[in-house]
Amino acid sequence: GAGVSQSPSNKVTEKGKDVELRCDPISGHTALYWYRQSLGQGLEFLIYFQGNSAPDKSGLPSDRFSAERTGGSVSTLTIQRTQQEDSAVYLCASSLQLGLPDTQYFGPGTRLTVL
Amino acid sequence: AQTVTQSQPEMSVQEAETVTLSCTYDTSENNYYLFWYKQPPSRQMILVIRQEAYKQQNATENRFSVNFQKAAKSFSLKISDSQLGDTAMYFCAFMKSGGNTPLVFGKGTRLSVIA
């Protein structure tokens, strides 16, 4: 089947605006992750959904960031009142949850530019 | 907290030659998983190889192999018979055991394969 998809591919916004980034995981994958890739900073974990459990939000950098996952499938990452330092590539990944660590499969990412 | 260090920001190799990318990590965990991901200019993160810490045998996948030294907390990637398509960013990543958990990434090594 299809891999992880993300939309939009690129997003340019003005400082102070809200943005929504979408992730559609691989069908049947119950674990979903958001990461942020900033220039020269590698990838940092943001938030993690595992089945119907409460999400692990420990990586969110501020309360302007939030995410939800509807129906255990599609996830939306929302950034409110965007700042220039939010400019980055936002990557989503999904994996099976079989009780053992499984490979995370990544989407192509959304490049966010805040002017 | 776990940390992953890739000490080579950039490397280059001649086509058909062999190159080794370095990765060290710091953890107090005894059971964990290590990964190498490749990110070409398309931004799509692709799994190259994974290693379970409880396995002494080094993982291999065709032209890719690792040298896993648990005591030294070292996990290097060897690419044999380098091809132009191997040109990409390579990220080393760590995952704790005990279920699906977020990956901790190094900052990456940019590899250029030269014809």
Side-chain angles (χ1 to χ4, degrees):
Chain A
V4 178
S5 61
Q6 292 185 246
S7 60
S9 178
N10 292 282
K11 176 71 176 178
V12 179
T13 191
E14 293 180 348
K15 179 182 173 181
K17 300 284 190 182
D18 297 353
V19 295
E20 287 188 350
L21 311 180
R22 176 188 168 108
C23 172
D24 207 335
I26 293 172
S27 178
H29 282 194
T30 55
L32 186 148
Y33 311 78
W34 284 98
Y35 296 88
R36 179 169 70 175
Q37 184 175 19
S38 304
L39 189 63
Q41 295 298 317
L43 287 89
E44 58 176 327
F45 160 70
L46 296 177
I47 188 169
Y48 159 49
F49 297 88
Q50 179 172 311
N52 295 320
S53 302
D56 176 353
K57 304 179 181 180
S58 60
L60 294 179
S62 78
D63 58 8
R64 296 186 296 103
F65 288 72
S66 64
E68 61 180 23
R69 190 177 184 192
T70 54
S73 182
V74 172
S75 176
T76 302
L77 177 69
T78 301
I79 309 173
Q80 296 178 309
R81 305 180 303 281
T82 52
Q83 303 295 312
Q84 289 182 333
E85 60 263 28
D86 299 334
S87 296
V89 174
Y90 290 81
L91 292 165
C92 174
S94 70
S95 66
L96 286 169
Q97 182 186 348
L98 300 176
L100 291 173
D102 202 359
T103 298
Q104 294 183 22
Y105 295 90
F106 284 80
T110 294
R111 180 179 298 281
L112 175 65
T113 303
V114 182
L115 302 176
Chain B
Q2 290 75 34
T3 59
V4 177
T5 301
Q6 293 180 248
S7 59
Q8 305 151 315
E10 294 188 16
M11 293 193 72
S12 62
V13 62
Q14 291 290 132
E15 197 175 6
E17 296 295 309
T18 296
V19 63
T20 299
L21 308 184
S22 301
C23 173
T24 59
Y25 57 94
D26 188 24
T27 184
S28 58
E29 304 281 332
N30 188 49
N31 295 318
Y32 48 87
Y33 301 79
L34 295 163
F35 303 82
W36 278 98
Y37 278 89
K38 167 185 177 180
Q39 187 181 41
S42 67
R43 291 201 313 246
Q44 186 83 47
M45 294 280 283
I46 302 164
L47 177 70
V48 175
I49 199 165
R50 63 178 275 168
Q51 173 82 40
E52 290 81 3
Y54 62 85
K55 290 185 178 179
Q56 292 187 335
Q57 186 172 5
N58 289 322
T60 63
E61 286 288 342
N62 301 314
R63 297 183 295 109
F64 299 88
S65 62
V66 298
N67 182 3
F68 174 48
Q69 301 290 327
K70 190 173 183 180
K73 296 181 182 175
S74 172
F75 182 61
S76 61
L77 174 70
K78 185 171 83 170
I79 306 174
S80 303
D81 186 26
S82 298
Q83 300 176 1
L84 295 177
D86 296 334
T87 294
M89 283 288 290
Y90 286 81
F91 291 95
C92 179
F94 173 100
M95 176 191 282
K96 291 194 300 184
S97 67
N100 287 288
T101 58
L103 292 164
V104 177
F105 286 89
K107 291 191 176 183
T109 295
R110 183 176 303 279
L111 177 68
S112 299
V113 179
I114 303 166

